């Protein structure tokens, strides 16, 4: 079986070694050492499988998975890491990765795994274009609690206009679902809904993704590229985690919103795009303005119509309905039948405070279906949420206090390193280095 493989890794020796191994299997192999060059190659060539390092110099591999799968849904992605960390593995799978490899430990698994991924690619291609009908518009929003009904009512009203919308709320509260629903409920629904997570890319890549670039604008720009602003012409542009957008790009975005005009990277000619903007953030933008991280004029331009999405702990009456929906989705996905749900399953779900909100609930339900015995969902199928507090240290050293603080933040984020790095206000590479120092892998 022939296949087109893209390997993304900034360790050149490993990149060449993997390229040689896969080429000997008669695969067509191309190599990239940065996220930017990889995205360029994906535009220029047809690929089936991508092997991607978890840490790249200009992007976080786990977030890159989501962006690649959004643009190229037929592709399958195998993530590679130097750390056998189950949290990163699970997060990668949730973002759309096919599987996960530990560098050095899993070398013998690479070829069999690529063959399995290619089989999945064949299935993906056959299913694209004949997707079964799914809930559209506001039918995607589940719940009958007063808080969610209020948010839904506001969204239904603003959908009929062209006003910019700012969705606020904690992570995992369903902001992209609301953005999709607003688009589907608008007159723009026949045109593109284009989404990007502003926290997933470096400034340069994000600028290229949004505005596009001209051939020769930078190394690797071998042909003109349409940006998402241009792709969204006539439709809707959804900017998730807009609070993470570098301040230099905020001025460029403001100009587009005010004039409808933009200039591609490396271009001098002005282009135009008529799109509806929906932005989302889990940050307090007013606080970000005070700290100098967000432009006040852009905030006022974005905040024409704000919709706050309530956390799951404030709408616990919707929890059972949401859980049942996820049970149905994953039962079909896993080809499960004759499933039984014990009452203690839902009671156990109600005990958690759901800091990750609906996303965390979805993940917990999916995991429980994998772990259950005899097709019975019960309390034992669910994660055992611990109330353990990290013990305080008697040491007054900076290193000791730093170690305790990082541990607390990782507990708070349920092991999500990207979110922990954001809260700690350090780079993801710095966090990994600290974890190595403390022997936490």
């Amino acid at each position: 079986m022939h296949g087109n493989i893209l390997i993304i890794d900034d360790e050149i020796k490993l990149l060449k070694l993997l390229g040689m191994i896969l080429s000997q299997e008669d695969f067509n192999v191309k190599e990239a050492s940065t996220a930017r060059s990889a995205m360029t190659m994906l535009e220029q060539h047809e690929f089936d499988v991508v092997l991607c390092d978890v840490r790249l110099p200009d992007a976080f591999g786990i977030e890159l998975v989501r962006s690649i799968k959004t643009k190229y849904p037929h592709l399958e992605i195998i993530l590679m890491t130097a750390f056998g960390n189950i949290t990163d593995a699970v997060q990668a799978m949730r973002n759309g990765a096919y599987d996960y490899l530990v560098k050095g430990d899993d070398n013998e698994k690479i070829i069999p795994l690529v063959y399995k991924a290619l089989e999945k690619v064949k299935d993906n291609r056959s299913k694209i274009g004949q997707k079964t009908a799914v809930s559209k518009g506001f039918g995607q929003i589940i719940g009958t609690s007063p808080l969610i009904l209020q948010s839904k009512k506001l969204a239904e009203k603003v959908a009929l206009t062209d006003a910019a919308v700012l969705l606020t709320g904690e992570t995992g509260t369903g902001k992209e679902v609301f953005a999709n629903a607003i688009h589907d409920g608008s007159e723009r629904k026949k045109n593109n809904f284009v989404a990007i997570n502003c926290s997933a890319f470096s400034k340069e890549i994000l600028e290229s993704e949004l505005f596009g670039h001209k051939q020769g604008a930078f190394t690797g720009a071998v042909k003109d590229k349409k940006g998402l602003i241009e792709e969204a012409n006539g439709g809707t542009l959804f900017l998730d985690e807009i609070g993470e957008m570098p301040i230099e790009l905020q001025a460029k975005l403001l100009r587009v919103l005010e004039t409808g005009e933009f200039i591609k990277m490396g271009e001098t000619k002005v282009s135009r795009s008529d799109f509806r903007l929906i932005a989302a953030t889990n940050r307090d933008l007013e606080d970000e303005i005070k700290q100098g991280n967000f432009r006040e004029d852009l905030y006022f331009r974005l905040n024409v119509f704000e919709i706050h999405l309530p956390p799951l702990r404030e709408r616990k009456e919707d929890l059972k309905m949401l859980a049942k929906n996820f049970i149905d989705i994953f039962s079909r996905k896993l080809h499960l039948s004759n499933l039984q749900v014990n009452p203690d399953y839902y009671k156990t779900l109600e005990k958690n405070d759901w800091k990750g909100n609906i996303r965390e609930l979805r993940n917990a339900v999916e995991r429980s279906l994998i772990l259950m015995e005899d097709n019975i969902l019960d309390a034992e199928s669910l994660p055992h949420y611990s109330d353990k507090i990290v013990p305080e240290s008697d040491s007054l050293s900076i290193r000791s206090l730093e170690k305790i603080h990082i541990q607390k933040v990782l507990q708070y984020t349920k092991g999500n390193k990207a979110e922990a790095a954001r809260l700690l206000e350090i780079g993801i590479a710095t966090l990994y280095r600290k974890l190595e120092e403390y022997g936490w892998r």
Side-chain angles (χ1 to χ4, degrees):
M1 180 194 301
H2 293 286
N4 300 313
I5 316 294
L6 174 62
I7 310 170
I8 315 170
D9 200 313
D10 62 332
E11 293 182 47
I12 303 303
K13 286 184 180 178
L14 181 63
L15 187 67
K16 297 299 178 186
L17 176 63
L18 289 173
M20 183 182 69
I21 292 170
L22 291 166
S23 296
Q24 287 174 350
E25 289 288 316
D26 286 334
F27 293 130
N28 300 313
V29 180
K30 293 202 176 292
E31 301 162 1
S33 58
T34 64
R36 169 180 274 180
S37 57
M39 296 302 283
T40 302
M41 283 189 180
L42 284 164
E43 290 170 23
Q44 296 168 349
H45 306 282
E46 184 73 20
F47 289 103
D48 301 303
V49 176
V50 174
L51 275 76
C52 181
D53 187 15
V54 74
R55 288 188 290 169
L56 296 166
D58 54 350
F60 189 38
I62 289 175
E63 293 298 336
L64 193 61
V65 168
R66 192 196 315 242
S67 300
I68 293 174
K69 285 293 286 184
T70 300
K71 278 190 142 184
Y72 310 98
H74 70 281
L75 274 175
E76 289 302 336
I77 304 165
I78 299 168
L79 209 68
M80 305 181 294
T81 181
F83 307 95
N85 187 303
I86 191 64
T87 306
D88 282 349
V90 171
Q91 187 60 50
M93 302 285 277
R94 289 170 186 158
N95 283 9
Y98 178 73
D99 213 328
Y100 195 83
L101 287 171
V102 179
K103 291 180 182 178
D105 295 346
D106 293 339
N107 285 347
E108 74 284 355
K109 298 179 184 177
I110 292 172
I111 299 300
L113 195 55
V114 169
Y115 275 113
K116 286 181 183 176
L118 283 169
E119 290 293 342
K120 182 72 163 50
V121 171
K122 283 172 65 178
D123 289 341
N124 295 346
R125 290 187 188 278
S126 66
K127 287 174 185 173
I128 290 172
Q130 50 173 343
K131 291 179 181 175
T132 53
V134 294
S135 294
K136 288 288 234 177
F138 293 98
Q140 302 172 83
I141 299 170
I142 296 169
T144 56
S145 64
L147 287 174
I148 200 65
L149 289 178
Q150 181 184 2
S151 299
K152 186 176 177 181
K153 186 177 179 181
L154 289 171
E156 287 171 337
K157 286 188 174 182
V158 79
L160 302 175
T161 75
D162 243 1
V165 179
L166 180 62
L167 300 170
T168 60
E170 296 176 10
T171 184
T173 48
K175 294 187 279 289
E176 186 159 0
V177 172
F178 263 78
N180 262 295
I182 292 168
H183 173 74
D184 289 338
S186 74
E187 293 184 358
R188 294 176 176 266
K189 64 184 176 184
K190 292 181 181 177
N191 295 311
N192 290 338
F193 174 85
V194 182
I196 189 169
N197 186 319
C198 297
S199 68
F201 301 103
S202 64
K203 173 188 170 291
E204 292 74 19
I205 289 188
L206 182 59
E207 183 174 1
S208 173
E209 287 294 306
L210 283 175
F211 297 95
H213 62 247
K214 192 75 176 165
Q215 179 181 350
F218 50 81
T219 304
V222 296
K223 67 172 186 177
D224 292 359
K225 176 197 169 180
K226 257 186 172 185
L228 296 183
I229 287 172
E230 190 174 356
E231 293 280 1
N233 187 34
T236 302
L237 175 64
F238 175 54
L239 297 181
D240 199 6
E241 302 297 352
I242 190 139
E244 309 278 352
M245 179 178 281
I247 200 153
E248 302 94 329
L249 292 187
Q250 293 175 26
K252 293 190 174 186
L253 177 61
L254 180 63
R255 173 173 170 76
V256 182
L257 295 176
E258 289 180 339
T259 66
E261 297 178 345
F262 66 97
I263 300 174
K264 293 182 180 180
M265 294 176 71
E267 176 71 275
T268 55
K269 185 180 69 175
V270 173
S271 301
R272 294 192 59 82
S273 181
D274 168 31
F275 61 92
R276 198 256 187 88
L277 181 72
I278 303 177
T281 184
N282 58 17
R283 292 194 173 198
D284 182 337
L285 292 186
E286 291 186 358
D287 189 48
E288 293 296 312
I289 291 168
K290 289 175 187 174
Q291 294 182 38
N293 298 327
F294 204 83
R295 293 180 62 109
E296 187 174 34
D297 47 5
L298 177 59
Y299 172 68
F300 289 133
R301 189 67 183 77
L302 291 174
N303 197 21
V304 176
F305 197 94
E306 180 179 344
I307 303 175
H308 181 75
L309 303 191
L312 188 51
R313 63 182 173 275
E314 292 179 8
R315 47 177 293 217
K316 284 257 181 112
E317 58 265 58
D318 293 334
L319 199 149
K320 188 172 182 179
M321 192 185 304
L322 287 161
K324 282 184 173 180
N325 178 62
F326 293 138
I327 289 168
D328 289 343
I329 289 171
F330 293 119
S331 294
R332 289 194 297 270
K333 184 178 177 182
L334 297 168
H335 307 293
L336 299 171
S337 57
N338 302 319
L339 192 68
Q340 296 178 49
V341 185
N342 283 354
D344 67 345
Y345 182 82
Y346 294 117
K347 287 179 182 175
T348 303
L349 288 176
E350 289 171 5
K351 291 177 183 176
N352 191 23
D353 58 4
W354 301 110
K355 288 176 182 169
N357 295 294
I358 301 168
R359 184 182 296 122
E360 184 184 358
L361 174 65
R362 176 190 173 98
N363 296 340
V365 170
E366 183 177 15
R367 181 179 184 273
S368 67
L369 281 162
I370 295 168
L371 294 177
M372 70 178 177
E373 299 287 345
D374 303 319
N375 269 24
I376 299 172
L377 282 175
D378 55 22
E380 291 303 310
S381 314
L382 289 163
H384 295 283
Y385 299 104
S386 172
D387 296 325
K388 273 177 67 177
I389 304 296
V390 179
E392 294 295 335
S393 169
D394 292 332
S395 171
L396 295 178
S397 74
I398 292 291
R399 177 182 168 83
S400 176
L401 294 172
E402 177 187 72
K403 183 177 178 179
I404 290 169
H405 184 59
I406 290 175
Q407 192 172 353
K408 284 181 177 179
V409 173
L410 282 168
Q411 281 188 339
Y412 175 77
T413 64
K414 300 284 195 295
N416 184 326
K417 294 182 180 60
E419 179 67 5
R422 188 186 71 76
L423 292 171
L424 290 163
E425 297 183 356
I426 61 175
I428 189 70
T430 303
L431 177 58
Y432 271 107
R433 193 177 69 250
K434 295 288 182 188
L435 297 182
E436 281 185 273
E437 285 176 16
Y438 301 139
W440 299 339
R441 293 193 175 185

